Amino acid sequence: MRKIFILLCSFAGLFAYNEEFKKAIQYDSSVWGKARVENIDSYYNYPFAEWFVWLQSSGFFANLALFAIIAVLVAFVGHYAIVGPKSFSHDHGKVYAFNVLERLTHAVAALSWVILVPTGIIMMFGEEFGGGFFVRLCKNLHGIATILFAIVLPYMFFKWLFRMLPATYDARWAIMVGGYLSKNKKPIPAGKFNLGQKAWFWVCMGGGFVMVTTGALMYFLDTQIPVANGAFLGMTQIDILRLSAIIHNILGAACAVFLLVHIYMAVFCIKGSIHAIINGYKEEEEVYILHHYWYQELLRKGKIKPSVFEKEYTNLKPVK
């Protein structure tokens, strides 16, 4: 009798979905329609399936992010204990660095990234967190933060693009690591943004754009757009989904590292530096030391007066 009851329930289940729903699932869906059969063959023809299964099942993505974050935090503690933070005088002039719109868009981007990175890590370790409501909440917050970042990304990119291009003195900055491994203070070859900030810009803007794109492809995995239906490089949608997940997870680990470095530099490594992106002003000595070529540029343009610190430090030769 029990077997008959189960059979009847199973048979009744065939009629549980309305025709419109069945059509969408069985015929119109890129994932669940006829592409199901097509994607079986792609497992052997494309490397993404095999890579993704191994990377995901081995815990590579989550462990990579965790190891990178721990390594960076250990480096921060070591740097702070051995070298210590740089401190600049707050008793002299101030240099206007960022306008209101720059500060506002930066605030939105900062809020977005502070949400994106932790929620992304939690999603990577979803099983360890027990799944359920908390992980779903992080997933939804991750999506909302992505939209916020995507809104301010174009303005920030084009506003700072010119100053983020490579300069001849960037190599000198790299050799001396911006002076951050020394307790001594001397003028550093850097413009308004140093090489480290430029690297963060390209990871944040360029990498951020890729993260938004791959994230959207994963979120809207069952769309009816041509790219998602095999019209892009002959790839099926499931292949694009796998590749997006691989790129998103690996690049996400890099973004997490750069975000932590950015926070450390602004909050701990250079005392008071974070105030520049809040009120728009940098301390005169900080500009003179850490952004010496920008100081020279402002001086040539008549936007500032010669600094009192010219008597204390030796000026770098102007860039030709």
Side-chain angles (χ1 to χ4, degrees), residues 181-200:
L181 299 182
S182 171
K183 295 183 179 181
N184 298 325
K185 291 192 292 186
K186 61 180 180 179
I188 302 297
K192 184 174 183 178
F193 299 104
N194 60 43
L195 181 61
Q197 292 168 320
K198 290 178 180 180
W200 165 236

Side-chain angles (χ1 to χ4, degrees), residues 68-319:
I69 291 173
I70 292 176
V72 169
L73 292 177
V74 170
F76 290 166
V77 173
H79 178 271
Y80 197 87
I82 298 173
V83 180
K86 287 188 178 296
S87 180
F88 297 101
S89 173
H90 289 223
D91 299 327
H92 295 82
K94 298 182 184 296
V95 179
Y96 192 59
F98 304 109
N99 63 39
V100 175
L101 193 53
E102 285 177 300
R103 302 198 304 271
L104 178 61
T105 52
H106 182 277
V108 174
L111 175 63
S112 301
W113 278 71
V114 168
I115 295 174
L116 285 168
V117 170
T119 54
I121 298 298
I122 291 171
M123 289 161 63
M124 283 183 171
F125 289 92
E127 184 177 354
E128 284 72 14
F129 280 96
F133 172 78
F134 176 65
V135 176
R136 287 198 302 272
L137 175 63
C138 289
K139 173 181 175 292
N140 293 333
L141 289 175
H142 199 82
I144 294 172
T146 299
I147 295 173
L148 291 176
F149 175 67
I151 292 173
V152 299
L153 188 153
Y155 173 81
M156 297 178 69
F157 178 77
F158 290 107
K159 177 63 180 179
W160 292 334
L161 175 61
F162 176 75
R163 289 192 177 275
M164 295 298 180
L165 296 176
T168 55
Y169 47 76
D170 286 338
R172 292 160 54 198
W173 187 97
I175 293 173
M176 60 192 307
V177 197
Y180 292 116
L181 299 182
S182 171
K183 295 183 179 181
N184 298 325
K185 291 192 292 186
K186 61 180 180 179
I188 302 297
K192 184 174 183 178
F193 299 104
N194 60 43
L195 181 61
Q197 292 168 320
K198 290 178 180 180
W200 165 236
F201 172 85
W202 289 108
V203 169
C204 182
M205 297 290 106
F209 176 77
V210 174
M211 292 291 283
V212 170
T213 303
T214 54
L217 287 172
M218 290 189 292
Y219 190 85
F220 300 104
L221 77 166
D222 200 17
T223 55
Q224 293 295 322
I225 58 176
V227 170
N229 287 280
F232 182 71
L233 298 179
M235 296 170 59
T236 61
Q237 185 190 22
I238 196 67
D239 292 314
I240 296 174
L241 179 61
R242 292 162 181 157
L243 182 59
S244 296
I246 293 172
I247 294 173
H248 197 86
N249 281 279
I250 294 177
L251 186 56
C255 289
V257 168
F258 272 85
L259 175 65
L260 290 175
V261 172
H262 190 59
I263 293 174
Y264 175 73
M265 299 301 293
V267 178
F268 301 101
C269 189
I270 307 172
K271 289 187 175 181
S273 177
I274 194 173
H275 295 296
I277 204 63
I278 297 175
N279 58 33
Y281 290 91
K282 282 183 174 290
E283 300 299 330
E284 180 182 333
E285 186 183 19
E286 180 184 345
V287 172
Y288 184 86
I289 296 295
L290 297 183
H291 305 275
H292 191 73
Y293 285 134
W294 184 44
Y295 163 78
Q296 292 184 0
E297 175 191 334
L298 295 174
L299 198 60
R300 288 195 306 271
K301 294 180 178 179
K303 293 185 177 181
I304 60 173
K305 296 180 180 180
S307 173
V308 296
F309 295 102
E310 288 195 6
K311 300 178 181 179
E312 187 174 346
Y313 304 102
T314 302
N315 283 353
L316 295 176
K317 293 182 179 180
V319 179

Side-chain angles (χ1 to χ4, degrees), residues 10 50 179 239:
S10 300
E50 192 171 354
D239 292 314

